[in-house]
Amino acid sequence: MQFNFLISKCMSVNENGMTILNGSQQRNPQLDEVITTMGEASAKAQNLKQVITSPTRFYQTDQKLYIKSEGKHCLGILKVGKKNLFHRDLNGLVREIQPLCVLDFYVHESMQRRGIGKELFEEMLRCEIIYPEKLAYDRPSPKLLGFLKKHYHLSNYIPQNNNFVIFSQYFENRQLIVNQQLASQNSQSQYSSTPSKIEQLGTLMSQMSIQSTQSKNQQQQQSKSQAPWATDQKSQQNMYETTTGLMSAQIQKKR
């Protein structure tokens, strides 16, 4: 959405083109124009009966408005705030919760499918120090539901009368799940390392066998390389000892 002035002239914009406004923000006509125009465009895109983001519905609240801009163009907005909600589970149990809620999320049509929405959403998660499954979503559009499923694998929820979507992971302990995943990965890593140790042992035994074979070959070669007379002398010595033994035995018999 293009305006007749630089967005940075009416609000503080960081190096990434991001602005974070809160309800106590000092108002000015240009800032009001940006909020009004983007709020109306968002309501129209989502086929809402009334505008949910406007200066009068934003100021003097505890809500925050994340804005992505570039020069004179406002690319998208994301509004969050806490709400008291009642949630009913499949067993009919009702519990009261106070989650941080995504109240409005809009990227201008000319800037969609360029990662602007993901950039806005990630900036909000970083600043609010929260996981996407720990948020509640006010009347999310099919595009937003598809966005959450694609990027954060969120899809399971129980429809509520208040039209807020709270995913089942909201009630789970994320740290416990992460620890279980890490434990599972470590177990798989140890299991996968066992074959490698066996392979190392097999390699070592193979090397020992090769060395033993080489040693035997060397001994055989040394034996072949000995002079013939050395072998003959040994044979003669054996024959002499055998003959001497036989003669001694015959002499003893004669006695």
Side-chain angles (χ1 to χ4, degrees), residues 42-184:
S42 176
K44 182 179 179 180
Q46 299 180 65
N47 295 317
L48 300 178
K49 296 180 179 180
Q50 61 180 355
V51 176
I52 56 177
T53 299
S54 65
T56 56
R57 301 192 66 172
F58 173 67
Y59 291 111
Q60 306 305 317
T61 69
D62 62 352
Q63 299 174 355
K64 288 185 181 179
L65 185 62
Y66 291 81
I67 300 176
K68 172 71 174 179
S69 63
E70 185 178 299
K72 296 182 178 182
H73 294 82
C74 186
L75 311 181
I77 61 171
L78 172 59
K79 186 174 71 169
V80 297
K82 286 192 173 182
K83 294 284 186 179
N84 289 320
L85 303 176
F86 290 94
H87 181 272
R88 184 185 299 273
D89 63 17
L90 290 175
N91 297 321
L93 179 64
V94 178
R95 67 178 75 184
E96 185 177 3
I97 57 177
Q98 190 182 37
L100 183 67
C101 306
V102 174
L103 304 173
D104 198 3
F105 190 15
Y106 168 69
V107 175
H108 192 265
E109 286 76 8
S110 64
M111 301 303 298
Q112 293 180 6
R113 299 187 179 280
R114 299 188 184 185
I116 303 299
K118 181 80 176 330
E119 190 176 352
L120 263 171
F121 199 79
E122 289 288 334
E123 179 73 6
M124 180 272 296
L125 295 177
R126 184 184 67 81
C127 293
E128 302 298 330
I129 314 176
I130 195 170
Y131 296 114
E133 66 270 22
K134 297 301 182 181
L135 294 164
Y137 301 84
D138 185 12
R139 294 177 175 83
S141 65
K143 284 186 178 181
L144 178 53
L145 291 175
F147 171 87
L148 294 171
K149 182 177 181 179
K150 175 182 178 182
H151 295 291
Y152 305 103
H153 310 291
L154 297 174
S155 59
N156 297 324
Y157 65 91
I158 302 172
Q160 304 293 310
N161 293 331
N162 55 23
N163 293 317
F164 275 84
V165 167
I166 300 173
F167 292 101
S168 59
Q169 292 91 328
Y170 177 90
F171 302 99
E172 297 175 356
N173 188 329
R174 183 183 179 101
Q175 188 59 47
L176 177 62
I177 295 174
V178 170
N179 291 339
Q180 291 175 346
Q181 291 175 345
L182 291 175
S184 176

Side-chain angles (χ1 to χ4, degrees), residues 12 14 81 103 153 182 198 203 208 217 245 248 253:
S12 178
N14 67 17
L103 304 173
H153 310 291
L182 291 175
I198 296 176
T203 302
M208 292 175 63
N217 291 338
S248 177
K253 287 181 178 181

